[in-house]
Amino acid sequence: MIQITPQMRILVAIEPVDFRRGIDGMARLCREVLTSDPFSGTAYVFRSLSGKAIKILVYDGQGFWLCHKRLSQGRFRCWPTQVNRAGTVLQAHELQVLLYNGDPSTTKAAPVWRHVSAPA
């Protein structure tokens, strides 16, 4: 089972990909398109050409997990976009919203880390 934690790095591919690719093909996209090491433990999120499905690729230290979610109705409405970038980073709570077909850009959460000052 994949456990998505607040400390996990999550990288979302902006452009849709051909979902006939398996683990090796998706890992190749991580290297070539996202310029990231698929063995780093990062969770990579991809959207299908039709926009009806997503895949998540994660290496857990022993092997790869490839999860596939296809919506029974409709398409993923909101997808991260950035000009001149192949991918963008999401926080864990934003990925959860995205998985439920929500808009991750509208979520609010406390910062993952903040400096704690000494009491006065």
Side-chain angles (χ1 to χ4, degrees), residues 9-14 34 43 45 79-82 85-91:
R9 184 165 188 258
I10 301 165
L11 188 57
V12 178
I14 301 297
L34 301 174
V45 184
W79 197 258
T81 59
Q82 286 199 338
R85 301 260 333 246
T88 187
V89 176
L90 286 186
Q91 299 296 321

Side-chain angles (χ1 to χ4, degrees), residues 22-89:
I23 290 173
D24 295 331
M26 299 305 256
R28 185 174 179 179
L29 285 174
C30 295
R31 275 189 224 96
E32 295 177 358
V33 176
L34 301 174
T35 61
S36 184
D37 180 14
F39 293 95
S40 67
T42 298
Y44 299 95
V45 184
F46 301 93
R47 179 180 53 153
S48 67
L49 294 171
S50 67
K52 294 180 180 182
I54 61 173
K55 280 188 178 182
I56 302 174
L57 179 72
V58 180
Y59 184 76
D60 69 1
Q62 293 180 321
F64 282 101
W65 286 93
L66 184 60
C67 298
H68 184 138
K69 178 175 183 172
R70 185 179 66 208
L71 296 176
S72 56
Q73 294 180 2
R75 291 180 164 75
F76 284 95
R77 298 170 295 163
C78 300
W79 197 258
T81 59
Q82 286 199 338
V83 179
N84 299 326
R85 301 260 333 246
T88 187
V89 176

